[in-house]
Amino acid sequence: MTVNPTHTALWPAPHASGAVAATVHVPGSKSVTNRGLVLAALAAEPGWLRRPLRSRDTLLMAAALRAMGVGIEETVSSSSSVAGGPDGSGEAWRVIPSGLGGPATVDVGNAGTVMRFLPPVAALADGPIRFDGDPRSYERPLHGVIDALRALGARIDDSAVGNPGALPLTVHGGGALEGGQVEIDASSSSQFVSALLLSGARFNQGVEVRHVGSALPSMPHIRMTVDMLRACGAQVDTPEAGGEPNVWRVTPGALLGRDLTVEPDLSNAQPFLAAALITGGRVTIPDWPARTTQPGDALRRIFTEMGGSCELTEQGLTFTGSGSVHGIDVDLSEVGELTPGIAAVAALADSPSTLRGVAHLRLHETDRLAALTKEINELGGDVTETADGLHIRPRTLHGGVFHTYDDHRMATAGAIIGLAVPGVQIENVATTAKTLPDFPELWAGMLGN
């Protein structure tokens, strides 16, 4: 693992002097916001996204769609003095579809949703769309989307820097895409499947995506894509609905414009729930949905098994710590993005933990398994990488620098440890702006600082 020398600013992680007691308004879901933007851009009529997340990833998505000709108007209700307020309330984006076109250049940053969801959209544009991004984005897998689009009739140039199957690349849009059946190996990212499904209704023949390979990770995110497509009027056949295993079909047809209110990002609620767990305190997250496809909903079960309790009411979720934190043996294959926060809590537990099913995290914003092992161990921990996860034996930790590798979930993991361990300093906490703007302020507010 290497540290980015351009992001060496250190943030002293606040240490909790006692049990936390707070209500935290978590901003909207990145996953819902970016899927909602794509579906609205492909719809046959204007739509609204209310309480969208404003973060680096979502602003990159909006900018990319604007570059391809989509109108996105941002409004703030008169009852909100701040754009979106701390929880995004009062803000709405009106999305006005139009003829997609180029030439245009898309900056994906290091956002998996942007780099994977938008090449199929670009294939429907009239003209060339170039995709580029952060250096790490060149290392993240994209071959599943590129190979599938070529099989469906798209023309893509990914040979610019001798790194085929990855960024940078240019999609030479022809204004339409034939579509049809395609086989892909999406075992490295469920986003390959979601990318094709999101645009599939606009392909001439629709799309049939057949996954061939090992087990798919992050299935809740595919279910989220399917639910949102159906809410826009698309006909989608899935394995869960009696279809073939590992096969998804989207029938061609127009998508409806929606008035969508974005749920709070439940995965971004993780550090705040963890704070209640490890301090024996209580944290309430307003507007926690009773039914959701977000992977973060699994935190209710996982953190309860690790020593807390929760109550879900019409007002939201209240999580209460018991004063004890227990280790856990858990398969996180469907909810891999929760691994850094769970690992941080496990490092503070009273018994060992085994986190399984997350080998694909080696291909995320950074190699999260190697990064967590290195950073927790350098604070005195005892973490061992396994073939598909981590084994964590609790040890007495000490202060030190916790590097983040430009990964927002590494930063919040370090902040969790810092609550219980004095002297932890987080390198480049600003990377949390990728999906959780103003995290340091929210964290300090939770602690009453």
Side-chain angles (χ1 to χ4, degrees), residues 20 177 207 257 293 362 390 401 437:
V20 301
L177 193 66
V207 71
T293 52
R362 294 187 169 98
L390 300 171
V401 175

Side-chain angles (χ1 to χ4, degrees), residues 41-304:
L42 294 174
E45 57 195 351
W48 289 88
L49 267 72
R50 302 188 188 276
R51 298 179 64 172
L53 174 67
R54 286 183 60 88
S55 72
R56 187 186 186 213
D57 279 16
T58 60
L59 293 176
L60 285 169
M61 180 68 84
L65 291 170
R66 286 187 179 112
M68 286 190 270
V70 177
I72 301 177
E73 300 173 352
E74 302 183 30
T75 66
V76 181
S77 75
S78 58
S79 61
S80 177
S81 60
V82 180
D87 61 347
S89 59
E91 183 164 3
W93 292 350
R94 186 167 187 256
V95 183
I96 305 167
S98 63
L100 298 167
T105 298
V106 169
D107 176 11
V108 310
N110 192 17
T113 52
V114 181
M115 72 178 71
R116 291 163 182 152
F117 291 177
L118 289 189
V121 177
L124 297 169
D126 186 5
I129 311 294
R130 175 176 167 77
F131 290 82
D132 208 338
D134 297 352
R136 172 62 180 173
S137 71
Y138 291 17
E139 303 172 16
R140 300 186 66 182
L142 194 55
H143 54 86
V145 175
I146 295 172
D147 293 346
L149 287 175
R150 283 182 173 141
L152 295 172
R155 187 161 67 93
I156 300 174
D157 180 4
D158 59 346
S159 61
V161 295
N163 186 29
L167 291 174
L169 60 85
T170 299
V171 179
H172 295 276
L177 193 66
E178 191 60 24
Q181 299 179 354
V182 67
E183 290 187 351
I184 63 171
D185 181 353
S187 55
S188 60
S189 177
S190 68
Q191 289 177 351
F192 295 168
V193 175
S194 287
L196 297 167
L197 298 183
L198 285 168
S199 294
R202 288 285 305 272
F203 300 165
N204 293 341
Q205 298 183 35
V207 71
E208 177 184 297
V209 181
R210 185 179 298 268
H211 165 63
V212 290
S214 55
L216 270 170
S218 305
M219 279 297 297
H221 279 126
I222 296 180
R223 290 193 283 270
M224 176 187 294
T225 297
V226 169
D227 279 6
M228 293 182 69
L229 273 163
R230 287 174 173 161
C232 292
Q235 180 180 330
V236 188
D237 298 323
T238 68
E240 294 90 344
E244 294 181 64
N246 292 323
V247 177
W248 292 262
R249 297 184 183 89
V250 180
T251 301
L255 296 174
L256 306 175
R258 287 197 63 200
D259 192 325
L260 172 66
T261 299
V262 178
E263 298 172 351
D265 193 311
L266 307 188
S267 295
N268 279 340
Q270 182 180 40
F272 306 102
L273 301 182
L277 178 59
I278 66 178
T279 68
R282 175 177 295 188
V283 168
T284 297
I285 308 294
D287 303 318
W288 193 288
R291 178 190 174 277
T292 182
T293 52
Q294 288 193 60
D297 196 44
L299 290 167
R300 293 192 286 158
R301 171 182 56 84
I302 294 169
F303 278 173
T304 295

